[in-house]
Each structure stands twice: as structure tokens, then as C-alpha cells.
Amino acid sequence: MARVTDPRPPLPEWILECYDRLCTQACRPDHGEDSVPLIDYDDATDILVADSELALEQRDVEHALTRLLERGYFYEVENELRITSPEEQC
């Protein structure tokens, strides 16, 4: 995630809104107390495309997910997006 010393500009608000929506949809697998909330990449795409309030096209959603991955909001394992710090971000 972007730190205070990060020279890159902050993510646009609409991308952060995508992140918030996905955090509410992420599930916690049954692998113990320390399990990381996750969401399937395809499910994340479907959720964001279907969200009429966001009104995003497929390529916008893919761009948002790429930016969130690049900034460390998620990391990807076997086509699942896992939230890096759920206690701080969601």
C-alpha cells in the first residue's frame, strides 16, 4: 500500500471505492483465525461491473484491479485476490 514517503500520487477515489466494495464482499476462508479475506478475481470483476453505482466498463474494472495489485492493496494467489491488511483497510 502507498506509504507517506511514496512518491507516487494517491490512487483515484473511484479505484478506492472499488477496493471498498470488494472488501465488503471478501470472505474469510476456514483456515484458522489468521486467515486472510479473499475474493476470486473473476467474482471481483463481476461484482464491480454489475455495480450500477460505480457504472464501470470491463476495462475500467481491470485497470482498477491492476492498480490495487500494484499498490499492494491485494496480492494474487491462484486467481484469488487476498487483502493484505484487512484490519487496517476494511
Side-chain angles (χ1 to χ4, degrees), residues 3-90:
R3 305 235 189 298
V4 174
T5 59
D6 192 337
R8 300 175 293 187
L11 290 174
E13 189 62 34
W14 70 271
I15 292 179
L16 295 175
E17 287 178 31
C18 291
Y19 177 73
D20 290 340
R21 297 281 200 306
L22 295 176
C23 282
T24 62
Q25 298 295 319
C27 66
R28 193 175 287 276
D30 297 328
H31 298 305
E33 219 173 273
D34 295 330
S35 62
V36 177
L38 58 87
I39 188 165
D40 183 77
Y41 187 92
D42 293 333
D43 290 344
T45 301
D46 292 344
I47 288 166
L48 294 176
V49 167
D51 191 313
S52 61
E53 197 172 310
L54 290 173
L56 299 173
E57 294 182 14
Q58 181 76 26
R59 63 184 157 172
D60 296 326
V61 168
E62 291 169 3
H63 174 73
L65 292 175
T66 298
R67 296 291 307 276
L68 290 167
L69 283 162
E70 290 172 347
R71 291 290 182 99
Y73 285 78
F74 292 114
Y75 63 98
E76 189 171 8
V77 177
E78 297 179 3
N79 207 34
E80 291 177 337
L81 300 175
R82 298 173 186 224
I83 299 170
T84 55
S85 300
E87 64 280 350
E88 296 173 14
Q89 299 167 358
C90 293

